[in-house]
Amino acid sequence: MVKEDASLKPVVTAKTSSVEETHNLAALLVEIFRPGDVVVLSGDLGAGKTSFTQGLGLAMGIETPITSPTFTLANRYEGKLVLNHLDVYRLDRFQEVEELGLSELIDSNSLTVIEWGDVISSVLSEGFLEIRLRLGENQDSRVLDFILIGQRWVEREIELVSLVSSFSIENGE
Ligand code: ADP
Ligand code: MG
């Protein structure tokens, strides 16, 4: 089982200046995903987790508008890959996590995106990409830290850093 290690540092940090830029950043990432991948989105309410997922959906050719899976916990969309979109904000008991049936959702032809997923990351045995979102210096800017958990993601570090380089704020920018 892969446990999140508090000492793990982001491999890259990106900044967006509008919701459109967050969509564009998400769209770049579509190229790196493999069937069976899990993306954990963390960050406060309003940080942009759902907006990021909507950008992914657009880039994956999903025509149904992506909304927060408030009452269902998980939505499933057909795109280039199947997109499972979960929001586990209200889950506070491990029991409920089990009831989600994560292992059935995370199958070999889908991408699974979990908002507030840091709460359940300890049960994600195959590793995942964590994107931590936070507010930037003004109302429309957001800062996104990319953290790789597990070999499945660590081996994609160079590719990831290169993909998001146009949004990267590393090197003291
Ligand atoms: P969360 O799912 O994290 O609660 P949402 O994506 O639902 O957040 O909400 C983010 C809000 O912030 C949206 O109203 C969006 O339009 C706004 N916003 C402003 N700037 C940005 C940005 N750079 N990236 C993402 N969202 C932004
Ligand atoms: Mg949301």
Side-chain angles (χ1 to χ4, degrees), residues 82-104:
V82 171
L83 174 64
N84 295 313
H85 181 208
L86 282 71
D87 184 326
V88 298
Y89 181 53
R90 273 163 257 69
L91 291 192
D92 50 11
R93 299 197 315 270
F94 194 77
Q95 175 78 30
E96 290 180 290
V97 175
E98 292 199 315
E99 285 164 10
L100 274 175
L102 266 182
S103 52
E104 283 125 60

PDB file of all heavy atoms in Angstrom, residues 82-104:
ATOM      1  N   VAL A  82     -12.580   6.630 -20.278  1.00  0.00           N
ATOM      2  CA  VAL A  82     -13.700   6.871 -19.374  1.00  0.00           C
ATOM      3  C   VAL A  82     -13.179   7.733 -18.224  1.00  0.00           C
ATOM      4  O   VAL A  82     -12.086   7.490 -17.714  1.00  0.00           O
ATOM      5  CB  VAL A  82     -14.266   5.534 -18.855  1.00  0.00           C
ATOM      6  CG1 VAL A  82     -15.272   5.767 -17.745  1.00  0.00           C
ATOM      7  CG2 VAL A  82     -14.903   4.759 -20.003  1.00  0.00           C
ATOM      8  N   LEU A  83     -13.918   8.754 -17.855  1.00  0.00           N
ATOM      9  CA  LEU A  83     -13.521   9.593 -16.719  1.00  0.00           C
ATOM     10  C   LEU A  83     -14.448   9.320 -15.537  1.00  0.00           C
ATOM     11  O   LEU A  83     -15.652   9.548 -15.619  1.00  0.00           O
ATOM     12  CB  LEU A  83     -13.590  11.070 -17.108  1.00  0.00           C
ATOM     13  CG  LEU A  83     -13.345  12.090 -15.984  1.00  0.00           C
ATOM     14  CD1 LEU A  83     -11.926  11.995 -15.436  1.00  0.00           C
ATOM     15  CD2 LEU A  83     -13.627  13.506 -16.463  1.00  0.00           C
ATOM     16  N   ASN A  84     -13.868   8.822 -14.445  1.00  0.00           N
ATOM     17  CA  ASN A  84     -14.609   8.713 -13.189  1.00  0.00           C
ATOM     18  C   ASN A  84     -14.305   9.963 -12.387  1.00  0.00           C
ATOM     19  O   ASN A  84     -13.135  10.281 -12.148  1.00  0.00           O
ATOM     20  CB  ASN A  84     -14.123   7.520 -12.365  1.00  0.00           C
ATOM     21  CG  ASN A  84     -14.401   6.197 -13.024  1.00  0.00           C
ATOM     22  OD1 ASN A  84     -15.503   5.961 -13.489  1.00  0.00           O
ATOM     23  ND2 ASN A  84     -13.397   5.330 -13.052  1.00  0.00           N
ATOM     24  N   HIS A  85     -15.317  10.674 -11.984  1.00  0.00           N
ATOM     25  CA  HIS A  85     -15.127  11.907 -11.219  1.00  0.00           C
ATOM     26  C   HIS A  85     -15.777  11.745  -9.851  1.00  0.00           C
ATOM     27  O   HIS A  85     -16.992  11.603  -9.745  1.00  0.00           O
ATOM     28  CB  HIS A  85     -15.750  13.078 -12.001  1.00  0.00           C
ATOM     29  CG  HIS A  85     -15.602  14.405 -11.317  1.00  0.00           C
ATOM     30  ND1 HIS A  85     -16.492  15.429 -11.496  1.00  0.00           N
ATOM     31  CD2 HIS A  85     -14.663  14.872 -10.478  1.00  0.00           C
ATOM     32  CE1 HIS A  85     -16.092  16.480 -10.778  1.00  0.00           C
ATOM     33  NE2 HIS A  85     -14.989  16.159 -10.150  1.00  0.00           N
ATOM     34  N   LEU A  86     -14.963  11.744  -8.813  1.00  0.00           N
ATOM     35  CA  LEU A  86     -15.465  11.555  -7.452  1.00  0.00           C
ATOM     36  C   LEU A  86     -15.222  12.814  -6.626  1.00  0.00           C
ATOM     37  O   LEU A  86     -14.226  13.511  -6.830  1.00  0.00           O
ATOM     38  CB  LEU A  86     -14.720  10.397  -6.757  1.00  0.00           C
ATOM     39  CG  LEU A  86     -15.116   8.976  -7.103  1.00  0.00           C
ATOM     40  CD1 LEU A  86     -14.677   8.613  -8.510  1.00  0.00           C
ATOM     41  CD2 LEU A  86     -14.480   8.010  -6.110  1.00  0.00           C
ATOM     42  N   ASP A  87     -16.142  13.073  -5.707  1.00  0.00           N
ATOM     43  CA  ASP A  87     -15.952  14.139  -4.734  1.00  0.00           C
ATOM     44  C   ASP A  87     -16.210  13.503  -3.383  1.00  0.00           C
ATOM     45  O   ASP A  87     -17.342  13.129  -3.074  1.00  0.00           O
ATOM     46  CB  ASP A  87     -16.939  15.276  -5.010  1.00  0.00           C
ATOM     47  CG  ASP A  87     -16.724  16.458  -4.085  1.00  0.00           C
ATOM     48  OD1 ASP A  87     -16.352  16.238  -2.908  1.00  0.00           O
ATOM     49  OD2 ASP A  87     -16.931  17.602  -4.528  1.00  0.00           O
ATOM     50  N   VAL A  88     -15.169  13.337  -2.604  1.00  0.00           N
ATOM     51  CA  VAL A  88     -15.322  12.577  -1.355  1.00  0.00           C
ATOM     52  C   VAL A  88     -15.323  13.487  -0.132  1.00  0.00           C
ATOM     53  O   VAL A  88     -15.034  13.069   0.990  1.00  0.00           O
ATOM     54  CB  VAL A  88     -14.245  11.459  -1.231  1.00  0.00           C
ATOM     55  CG1 VAL A  88     -14.405  10.463  -2.361  1.00  0.00           C
ATOM     56  CG2 VAL A  88     -12.831  12.014  -1.224  1.00  0.00           C
ATOM     57  N   TYR A  89     -15.687  14.755  -0.382  1.00  0.00           N
ATOM     58  CA  TYR A  89     -15.690  15.758   0.692  1.00  0.00           C
ATOM     59  C   TYR A  89     -16.432  15.303   1.944  1.00  0.00           C
ATOM     60  O   TYR A  89     -15.988  15.526   3.056  1.00  0.00           O
ATOM     61  CB  TYR A  89     -16.313  17.050   0.147  1.00  0.00           C
ATOM     62  CG  TYR A  89     -16.367  18.182   1.129  1.00  0.00           C
ATOM     63  CD1 TYR A  89     -15.212  18.587   1.809  1.00  0.00           C
ATOM     64  CD2 TYR A  89     -17.555  18.863   1.383  1.00  0.00           C
ATOM     65  CE1 TYR A  89     -15.251  19.638   2.699  1.00  0.00           C
ATOM     66  CE2 TYR A  89     -17.603  19.920   2.268  1.00  0.00           C
ATOM     67  CZ  TYR A  89     -16.451  20.296   2.925  1.00  0.00           C
ATOM     68  OH  TYR A  89     -16.492  21.343   3.803  1.00  0.00           O
ATOM     69  N   ARG A  90     -17.574  14.682   1.733  1.00  0.00           N
ATOM     70  CA  ARG A  90     -18.409  14.318   2.873  1.00  0.00           C
ATOM     71  C   ARG A  90     -18.057  12.973   3.490  1.00  0.00           C
ATOM     72  O   ARG A  90     -18.657  12.563   4.475  1.00  0.00           O
ATOM     73  CB  ARG A  90     -19.892  14.355   2.495  1.00  0.00           C
ATOM     74  CG  ARG A  90     -20.500  15.727   2.670  1.00  0.00           C
ATOM     75  CD  ARG A  90     -21.781  15.871   1.935  1.00  0.00           C
ATOM     76  NE  ARG A  90     -21.657  16.627   0.703  1.00  0.00           N
ATOM     77  CZ  ARG A  90     -21.019  16.253  -0.406  1.00  0.00           C
ATOM     78  NH1 ARG A  90     -20.469  15.119  -0.484  1.00  0.00           N
ATOM     79  NH2 ARG A  90     -20.905  17.028  -1.449  1.00  0.00           N
ATOM     80  N   LEU A  91     -17.127  12.303   2.907  1.00  0.00           N
ATOM     81  CA  LEU A  91     -16.757  10.994   3.462  1.00  0.00           C
ATOM     82  C   LEU A  91     -15.854  11.179   4.663  1.00  0.00           C
ATOM     83  O   LEU A  91     -14.811  11.778   4.576  1.00  0.00           O
ATOM     84  CB  LEU A  91     -15.976  10.176   2.436  1.00  0.00           C
ATOM     85  CG  LEU A  91     -16.712   9.677   1.217  1.00  0.00           C
ATOM     86  CD1 LEU A  91     -15.837   8.653   0.518  1.00  0.00           C
ATOM     87  CD2 LEU A  91     -18.035   9.053   1.615  1.00  0.00           C
ATOM     88  N   ASP A  92     -16.270  10.673   5.784  1.00  0.00           N
ATOM     89  CA  ASP A  92     -15.366  10.766   6.922  1.00  0.00           C
ATOM     90  C   ASP A  92     -15.142   9.414   7.588  1.00  0.00           C
ATOM     91  O   ASP A  92     -14.326   9.289   8.466  1.00  0.00           O
ATOM     92  CB  ASP A  92     -15.821  11.820   7.931  1.00  0.00           C
ATOM     93  CG  ASP A  92     -17.277  11.655   8.298  1.00  0.00           C
ATOM     94  OD1 ASP A  92     -17.853  10.607   7.925  1.00  0.00           O
ATOM     95  OD2 ASP A  92     -17.831  12.540   8.943  1.00  0.00           O
ATOM     96  N   ARG A  93     -15.841   8.433   7.129  1.00  0.00           N
ATOM     97  CA  ARG A  93     -15.621   7.117   7.715  1.00  0.00           C
ATOM     98  C   ARG A  93     -15.044   6.180   6.658  1.00  0.00           C
ATOM     99  O   ARG A  93     -15.443   6.175   5.507  1.00  0.00           O
ATOM    100  CB  ARG A  93     -16.938   6.524   8.237  1.00  0.00           C
ATOM    101  CG  ARG A  93     -17.592   7.359   9.315  1.00  0.00           C
ATOM    102  CD  ARG A  93     -18.625   6.533  10.073  1.00  0.00           C
ATOM    103  NE  ARG A  93     -19.462   5.748   9.146  1.00  0.00           N
ATOM    104  CZ  ARG A  93     -20.586   6.199   8.634  1.00  0.00           C
ATOM    105  NH1 ARG A  93     -21.033   7.401   8.935  1.00  0.00           N
ATOM    106  NH2 ARG A  93     -21.289   5.444   7.817  1.00  0.00           N
ATOM    107  N   PHE A  94     -14.103   5.399   7.096  1.00  0.00           N
ATOM    108  CA  PHE A  94     -13.451   4.470   6.194  1.00  0.00           C
ATOM    109  C   PHE A  94     -14.474   3.547   5.543  1.00  0.00           C
ATOM    110  O   PHE A  94     -14.382   3.196   4.380  1.00  0.00           O
ATOM    111  CB  PHE A  94     -12.397   3.666   6.956  1.00  0.00           C
ATOM    112  CG  PHE A  94     -11.473   2.934   6.052  1.00  0.00           C
ATOM    113  CD1 PHE A  94     -10.452   3.615   5.401  1.00  0.00           C
ATOM    114  CD2 PHE A  94     -11.628   1.578   5.814  1.00  0.00           C
ATOM    115  CE1 PHE A  94      -9.596   2.947   4.543  1.00  0.00           C
ATOM    116  CE2 PHE A  94     -10.780   0.911   4.954  1.00  0.00           C
ATOM    117  CZ  PHE A  94      -9.765   1.596   4.324  1.00  0.00           C
ATOM    118  N   GLN A  95     -15.476   3.177   6.320  1.00  0.00           N
ATOM    119  CA  GLN A  95     -16.579   2.351   5.830  1.00  0.00           C
ATOM    120  C   GLN A  95     -17.146   2.900   4.521  1.00  0.00           C
ATOM    121  O   GLN A  95     -17.329   2.184   3.538  1.00  0.00           O
ATOM    122  CB  GLN A  95     -17.668   2.351   6.919  1.00  0.00           C
ATOM    123  CG  GLN A  95     -18.947   1.650   6.543  1.00  0.00           C
ATOM    124  CD  GLN A  95     -18.803   0.148   6.642  1.00  0.00           C
ATOM    125  OE1 GLN A  95     -18.031  -0.332   7.453  1.00  0.00           O
ATOM    126  NE2 GLN A  95     -19.525  -0.589   5.811  1.00  0.00           N
ATOM    127  N   GLU A  96     -17.401   4.227   4.534  1.00  0.00           N
ATOM    128  CA  GLU A  96     -17.990   4.842   3.342  1.00  0.00           C
ATOM    129  C   GLU A  96     -17.036   4.775   2.159  1.00  0.00           C
ATOM    130  O   GLU A  96     -17.450   4.638   1.027  1.00  0.00           O
ATOM    131  CB  GLU A  96     -18.346   6.302   3.631  1.00  0.00           C
ATOM    132  CG  GLU A  96     -19.502   6.462   4.579  1.00  0.00           C
ATOM    133  CD  GLU A  96     -19.799   7.923   4.835  1.00  0.00           C
ATOM    134  OE1 GLU A  96     -18.986   8.579   5.508  1.00  0.00           O
ATOM    135  OE2 GLU A  96     -20.823   8.405   4.363  1.00  0.00           O
ATOM    136  N   VAL A  97     -15.754   4.891   2.454  1.00  0.00           N
ATOM    137  CA  VAL A  97     -14.757   4.797   1.393  1.00  0.00           C
ATOM    138  C   VAL A  97     -14.847   3.420   0.740  1.00  0.00           C
ATOM    139  O   VAL A  97     -14.826   3.286  -0.486  1.00  0.00           O
ATOM    140  CB  VAL A  97     -13.339   5.033   1.957  1.00  0.00           C
ATOM    141  CG1 VAL A  97     -12.297   4.808   0.873  1.00  0.00           C
ATOM    142  CG2 VAL A  97     -13.217   6.433   2.525  1.00  0.00           C
ATOM    143  N   GLU A  98     -14.998   2.421   1.574  1.00  0.00           N
ATOM    144  CA  GLU A  98     -15.107   1.065   1.040  1.00  0.00           C
ATOM    145  C   GLU A  98     -16.361   0.911   0.190  1.00  0.00           C
ATOM    146  O   GLU A  98     -16.350   0.274  -0.851  1.00  0.00           O
ATOM    147  CB  GLU A  98     -15.116   0.052   2.186  1.00  0.00           C
ATOM    148  CG  GLU A  98     -13.775  -0.003   2.887  1.00  0.00           C
ATOM    149  CD  GLU A  98     -13.607  -1.270   3.692  1.00  0.00           C
ATOM    150  OE1 GLU A  98     -14.557  -1.637   4.398  1.00  0.00           O
ATOM    151  OE2 GLU A  98     -12.533  -1.871   3.582  1.00  0.00           O
ATOM    152  N   GLU A  99     -17.426   1.564   0.638  1.00  0.00           N
ATOM    153  CA  GLU A  99     -18.690   1.472  -0.100  1.00  0.00           C
ATOM    154  C   GLU A  99     -18.614   2.126  -1.481  1.00  0.00           C
ATOM    155  O   GLU A  99     -19.438   1.859  -2.339  1.00  0.00           O
ATOM    156  CB  GLU A  99     -19.833   2.098   0.725  1.00  0.00           C
ATOM    157  CG  GLU A  99     -20.261   1.198   1.871  1.00  0.00           C
ATOM    158  CD  GLU A  99     -21.089   1.920   2.938  1.00  0.00           C
ATOM    159  OE1 GLU A  99     -21.498   3.063   2.701  1.00  0.00           O
ATOM    160  OE2 GLU A  99     -21.293   1.317   3.992  1.00  0.00           O
ATOM    161  N   LEU A 100     -17.659   3.019  -1.647  1.00  0.00           N
ATOM    162  CA  LEU A 100     -17.483   3.644  -2.961  1.00  0.00           C
ATOM    163  C   LEU A 100     -17.137   2.620  -4.031  1.00  0.00           C
ATOM    164  O   LEU A 100     -17.316   2.864  -5.211  1.00  0.00           O
ATOM    165  CB  LEU A 100     -16.324   4.640  -2.920  1.00  0.00           C
ATOM    166  CG  LEU A 100     -16.585   6.056  -2.461  1.00  0.00           C
ATOM    167  CD1 LEU A 100     -15.273   6.811  -2.392  1.00  0.00           C
ATOM    168  CD2 LEU A 100     -17.528   6.746  -3.424  1.00  0.00           C
ATOM    169  N   GLY A 101     -16.594   1.492  -3.612  1.00  0.00           N
ATOM    170  CA  GLY A 101     -16.178   0.477  -4.565  1.00  0.00           C
ATOM    171  C   GLY A 101     -15.054   0.970  -5.464  1.00  0.00           C
ATOM    172  O   GLY A 101     -15.070   0.769  -6.677  1.00  0.00           O
ATOM    173  N   LEU A 102     -14.073   1.631  -4.829  1.00  0.00           N
ATOM    174  CA  LEU A 102     -12.975   2.221  -5.599  1.00  0.00           C
ATOM    175  C   LEU A 102     -12.286   1.229  -6.512  1.00  0.00           C
ATOM    176  O   LEU A 102     -11.975   1.534  -7.659  1.00  0.00           O
ATOM    177  CB  LEU A 102     -11.925   2.782  -4.630  1.00  0.00           C
ATOM    178  CG  LEU A 102     -12.031   4.248  -4.267  1.00  0.00           C
ATOM    179  CD1 LEU A 102     -10.888   4.613  -3.338  1.00  0.00           C
ATOM    180  CD2 LEU A 102     -12.013   5.120  -5.509  1.00  0.00           C
ATOM    181  N   SER A 103     -12.064   0.026  -5.999  1.00  0.00           N
ATOM    182  CA  SER A 103     -11.285  -0.921  -6.786  1.00  0.00           C
ATOM    183  C   SER A 103     -12.010  -1.341  -8.066  1.00  0.00           C
ATOM    184  O   SER A 103     -11.379  -1.689  -9.055  1.00  0.00           O
ATOM    185  CB  SER A 103     -10.916  -2.145  -5.948  1.00  0.00           C
ATOM    186  OG  SER A 103     -12.080  -2.652  -5.363  1.00  0.00           O
ATOM    187  N   GLU A 104     -13.340  -1.265  -8.042  1.00  0.00           N
ATOM    188  CA  GLU A 104     -14.072  -1.557  -9.285  1.00  0.00           C
ATOM    189  C   GLU A 104     -14.078  -0.374 -10.244  1.00  0.00           C
ATOM    190  O   GLU A 104     -14.072  -0.530 -11.452  1.00  0.00           O
ATOM    191  CB  GLU A 104     -15.514  -1.968  -8.986  1.00  0.00           C
ATOM    192  CG  GLU A 104     -15.638  -3.388  -8.478  1.00  0.00           C
ATOM    193  CD  GLU A 104     -16.357  -3.460  -7.143  1.00  0.00           C
ATOM    194  OE1 GLU A 104     -17.524  -3.044  -7.071  1.00  0.00           O
ATOM    195  OE2 GLU A 104     -15.729  -3.922  -6.173  1.00  0.00           O
TER     196      GLU A 104
END
